[in-house]
Amino acid sequence: MKKTLHYLLLSAIALLCVFPFWWTLVTALSTEGNVFAFPPTFWPKAPSLANFAEVFRVIPLWDFFRNSVVIAACTVLWKLIFCSMAAYPLARMHFKGRKLVFGLILATLVLPSEVNFLVNFITVTKLSLVDTYTGVILPNVVTAVAILLLKQAFEEVPQDLIDAARVDGASEWTIFTRIMLPLIAPWLATVGILTAVESWNEYIWPSIVMSKPDEFPLSVGVLYLRGTFGSSTRVVAAGTIMTIVPTLVAFLFAQRFFMRGMDGAVK
Amino acid sequence: MSRTTLTAWLFLAPALVLLAVFSFWPVGFGSYLAFTDYSLIRPTHWVGLDNFRYLFANEMFVTGLVNSVLFLLMVPCVQVGALALAVLVNNQLPGIRLFRAAFYVPVVTTVSVVGIMWGFMFHEQGTLNYVLLLFRLVDAPVGWLSHDGIALFAIMFVTMWRGLGWYMVMYLAALQAVPADMQEAAILDGANRWQRFWKITVPMLRPTIAICTILSVLAALKAYQEVDVLTQGGPMNSTFTALYYAYDQGLKHLKLPRALAASFVVSLLCIGVALCCLRWLKPKHR
């Protein structure tokens, strides 16, 4: 009885979380009937993929998709390189200024980063990076959270391994690339997946930097769809579904990474 | 400089350069520009508090500021909700992982998509009104996004909907770190579920509660994305938030000093409120 109540409660909340997705999917798959009808339809009428095909026909969805992939891939790659490089000495070296650097990195957690966009827009303009992937990617490459997570990972590597390598005459760079990075691969994966989804979903900054529609990533392009086809709700719904699918698939396959990423961020 | 120090700084250099350019510079330079008449074409002059005087005499900004503070109403809702949800999913019932995933799905969805989907839900003839009419909770369809007294709360609801799963995972992680033997000892002592929750779980979760509350306070004060995708500040400017005003002025009307002054005010507000939260939530020394 108690269990039933438990499930009932969970199901009600789950319904609230998932229902908008379901309704959008039903709308995208249906080809008949009024979109907004009383009572609403909760199952597709005359289901077909026509609305999806329509999205491809009227907007450069593949371009948006490619832009998102390039931006996400570059952000992940550079973030893993630069943040792991920064995390390594913070975790394993004793050097002058360590506390200061660490403090500065922590400070960026507290500073309200959203207010940076305005000046960053000036900076990106002055660097002539407007309308470039680089302009979208650069400000997101280094984040305090990534550095902290990777620092924690490096701290768990046994000191013996490093000492042994030093005795064998390995340079710091060799130790870093040959020993440390392979050992923290699961954490690199965590940071990589979190970053990929974050970057895929980022909306405000790319919409500031990119001005030409064919350069938009999906997150921005999908709104462009609404602007162009205000009347065709089904096409908008179809475009919406296609935008979410990659993140949902990534999420379902990498669920444990999401949970672990959060776990690490809190500690 | 010793060899190690040099190596360490070389490793750190790329990250520090990017942080300096895109995190520290904007804070410093932005704060300075808020007191000037900066524009891309004229030389810059120091104008003191002029921008701030303009803002506080400006109805739109004041509405925005009030709305940003109103957004704080969602903090207790989302925190209590997330903690309750975490407790609900923190057990080994069959299928529980599926529920956790369902609650987390809104978190990994782009805000633009969220905006479109909730635009559908909030439509006058949308599902939400249908359900409410079905159960006779309202007499006529509600204009969730078109009524100037309601739209802001609709946006707050969407923000909560998106945030709930995120905080749930934070609390879930903390709950799983609570040692089981403490609970078992309390059970032996005859403590009931409710007592165990308040006397053991909540004190153990205190640091997490503090962090989550502060993060959610900051998020509330900085709300703008949902506004942008749902109402663009309308109807009748009723859903402007302070930061949305800043972007609107800075990026659409290119009034950068005014925009930076607005975001300066938001930053001060964030820092002030965060400090207060820290004091309240710090564990008391006994």
Side-chain angles (χ1 to χ4, degrees), chain B residues 3 8 56 67 99 109 111 126 135 138 140 145 149 170 174 207 267-268 272-273 285:
Chain B
R3 230 190 110 93
F56 284 97
N67 286 343
F99 282 106
T109 309
V111 70
F135 290 101
V138 291
L145 296 174
M170 304 265 269
S267 309
L268 284 187
V273 176
H285 297 290

Side-chain angles (χ1 to χ4, degrees), chain B residues 221-264:
Chain B
L221 290 174
K222 292 186 295 192
Y224 66 91
Q225 291 202 79
E226 281 84 356
V227 177
D228 193 30
V229 294
L230 280 165
T231 62
Q232 271 111 42
M236 291 187 281
N237 297 338
S238 64
T239 56
F240 261 79
T241 62
L243 202 60
Y244 187 73
Y245 176 84
Y247 288 144
D248 190 58
Q249 290 294 308
L251 300 168
K252 287 187 195 138
H253 303 285
L254 293 175
K255 307 268 189 226
L256 273 167
R258 195 179 291 166
L260 285 162
S263 53
F264 189 81

Side-chain angles (χ1 to χ4, degrees), chain B residues 99-110:
Chain B
F99 282 106
R100 286 183 196 163
F103 301 149
Y104 200 78
V105 162
V107 180
V108 290
T109 309
T110 318

